[in-house]
Structures are given as structure tokens and as C-alpha cells.
């Protein structure tokens, strides 16, 4: 009788834990799918004008959305970005309200940037007052690993890190950068840059639901062994 009870407890406990781990996997998969779809939908919304003197939460609320900025590119305020080709080109853009927005104009291949060909500068931006449209993005982190490729220009950053640009460019600098869309990038003789959309606001919370199921599953296993010991 005791042996049968122990077997039943073990079966019920393992089944409950397996079910909870499975629900956690399903929740995690759902979070990724729904998050990616929401990000794509957000990025496809009509562009909005970047508000005058926008900073802080006002800019953060626009991450992953198309924005339009009006102003002019500052001369000789640019960097190549990346640790291998193609390299992005980020350029300081001063809006009509006076704030400076880093703008990723596009990408260049080795033929337009390598020191071996002495072409150290990307195609120049348009002059005068222009309107530019692209995705508003948050500051990027330093790369976690990787060795920079060979024959890279010396005027280069690993990522579009706003803290670094703030030390080199005039301000006030927005707490986000704009990555130009395909039409604007192509019009300037560049290849449109690849963009990794930022996570949505609910991503961390929804991922926590998946973790919660896994915690419940682990707790079910622990309690199963406790009950087995109690019936031994």
C-alpha cells in the first residue's frame, strides 16, 4: 500500500512539474512571437515629428518608431560604426530647435572605407536644411566579445553609444539616435543599415510569466520528494 502511494505521488509530482515546465516554454515562445510582431507593427506606423528639445522619457517613448527630424548635418562630425564590414555611418544632425541627433545614414562596404584605398570618408551628407525619416533607437551597449576585423578605418566606434558621442559632439544630444530608412539612405549613396528593433515595454514582464511557471515546476518536484520522504 505504501509503495503504491509513493508511486502515485511520484507520478503526480513529475506530471505536474512537466506540465508547468511545458507551460513555461509555451509562454516564452508566445512572448517572443508576439513581441516581434508588435515591434514590426510599431516600426511600420506613420512617422511622427521629433518634438522640439525632446529628452528623457519623451524620446524613450519613441524607441522603435519612425520619426522625422528637420535640420542640417554638421560638417566633420561623424564616425564609422562596427567591428567588421559593412560599417554603419553615424553623423551629427542639428535640428531646427537646436538639439543634436545622431543619425545613422546607412552602411558602407570595404570599397568605400578601407585605409588601403585611402578612402577614409563616407559619401557626404546633403547640405542645407533637410527632412530625414528613420527609426528612433536607444543607445547601444559595448560589444560583449569579438575581435575587430582587419583594415578597418581608425575613425571608428564599436557601437552607437551615446555616452561616447556626447563627449565628442556639441550638445544638447538626444538620448536616442535615428537610423535612416531605405529611401533616405539610398538617396545619399549608402546601403540601408540593418536595424535590431528594441524590445517592447511588456517584454520583461511577460518573460517573467514564463519564469514563474518554471519556478512552480521546480517547487512541484521539491514537494514531491518531500512527500515521498514523509511516506517512507
Amino acid at each position: 500500500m505504501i509503495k503504491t502511494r509513493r508511486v502515485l505521488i511520484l507520478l503526480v509530482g513529475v506530471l505536474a512539474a512537466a506540465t508547468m515546465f511545458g507551460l513555461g516554454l509555451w509562454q516564452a515562445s508566445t512572448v517572443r512571437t508576439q513581441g516581434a510582431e508588435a515591434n514590426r507593427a510599431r516600426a511600420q506606423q506613420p512617422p511622427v515629428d521629433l518634438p522640439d528639445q525632446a529628452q528623457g522619457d519623451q524620446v524613450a517613448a519613441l524607441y522603435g518608431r519612425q520619426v522625422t527630424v528637420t535640420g542640417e548635418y554638421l560638417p566633420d562630425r561623424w564616425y564609422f560604426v562596427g567591428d567588421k564590414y559593412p560599417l554603419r555611418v553615424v553623423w551629427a544632425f542639428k535640428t531646427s530647435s537646436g538639439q543634436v541627433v545622431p543619425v545613422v545614414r546607412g552602411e558602407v562596404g570595404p570599397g568605400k572605407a578601407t585605409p588601403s584605398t585611402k578612402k577614409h570618408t563616407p559619401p557626404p551628407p546633403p547640405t542645407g536644411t533637410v527632412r530625414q525619416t528613420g527609426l528612433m533607437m536607444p543607445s547601444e551597449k559595448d560589444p560583449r566579445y569579438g575581435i575587430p576585423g582587419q583594415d578597418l578605418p581608425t575613425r571608428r566606434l564599436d557601437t552607437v553609444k551615446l555616452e561616447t558621442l556626447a563627449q565628442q559632439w556639441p550638445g544638447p544630444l538626444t538620448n536616442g539616435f535615428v537610423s535612416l530608412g531605405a529611401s533616405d539612405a539610398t538617396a545619399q549613396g549608402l546601403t540601408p543599415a540593418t536595424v535590431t528593433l528594441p524590445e517592447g515595454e511588456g517584454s520583461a514582464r511577460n518573460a517573467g510569466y514564463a519564469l514563474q511557471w518554471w519556478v512552480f515546476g521546480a517547487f512541484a518536484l521539491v514537494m514531491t520528494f518531500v512527500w515521498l520522504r514523509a511516506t517512507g
Side-chain angles (χ1 to χ4, degrees), residues 2 25 43 79 106 112 114 120 133 137 142 161 175 178 185 208 211:
I2 294 179
L25 291 173
Y79 285 99
K112 292 183 178 180
T114 54
H120 294 279
T133 299
M137 303 294 291
D142 291 327
K161 189 174 181 180
N175 60 314
V178 173
L211 179 61

Side-chain angles (χ1 to χ4, degrees), residues 6-82:
R6 287 170 60 85
V7 170
L8 288 175
I9 290 174
L10 181 60
L11 288 176
V12 171
V14 171
L15 179 60
T19 300
M20 292 175 187
F21 280 122
L23 287 171
L25 291 173
W26 170 81
Q27 182 75 57
S29 177
T30 301
V31 167
R32 287 194 296 269
T33 301
Q34 293 181 346
E37 291 175 352
N39 287 343
R40 285 193 293 269
R42 179 176 173 81
Q44 292 170 2
Q45 292 177 354
V48 296
D49 289 336
L50 181 68
D52 292 345
Q53 306 301 327
Q55 292 291 335
D57 293 341
Q58 196 173 19
V59 175
L62 296 173
Y63 291 160
R65 282 205 62 177
Q66 294 188 78
V67 300
T68 298
V69 291
T70 302
E72 59 184 359
Y73 287 99
L74 298 180
D76 202 37
R77 298 286 185 174
W78 61 269
Y79 285 99
F80 290 116
V81 180

Side-chain angles (χ1 to χ4, degrees), residues 83-85 114-115 147-153:
D83 57 8
K84 61 182 178 181
Y85 289 107
T114 54
I147 300 175
Q150 297 181 346
D151 294 328
L152 294 176

Side-chain angles (χ1 to χ4, degrees), residues 129-172:
T129 300
V130 293
R131 284 176 62 83
Q132 303 281 260
T133 299
L135 287 172
M136 176 62 74
M137 303 294 291
S139 179
E140 297 176 342
K141 299 178 181 179
D142 291 327
R144 299 178 67 178
Y145 13 69
I147 300 175
Q150 297 181 346
D151 294 328
L152 294 176
T154 55
R155 189 169 181 170
R156 181 187 62 84
L157 302 174
D158 289 329
T159 62
V160 184
K161 189 174 181 180
L162 300 180
E163 293 90 337
T164 301
L165 294 177
Q167 298 176 17
Q168 306 297 328
W169 289 353

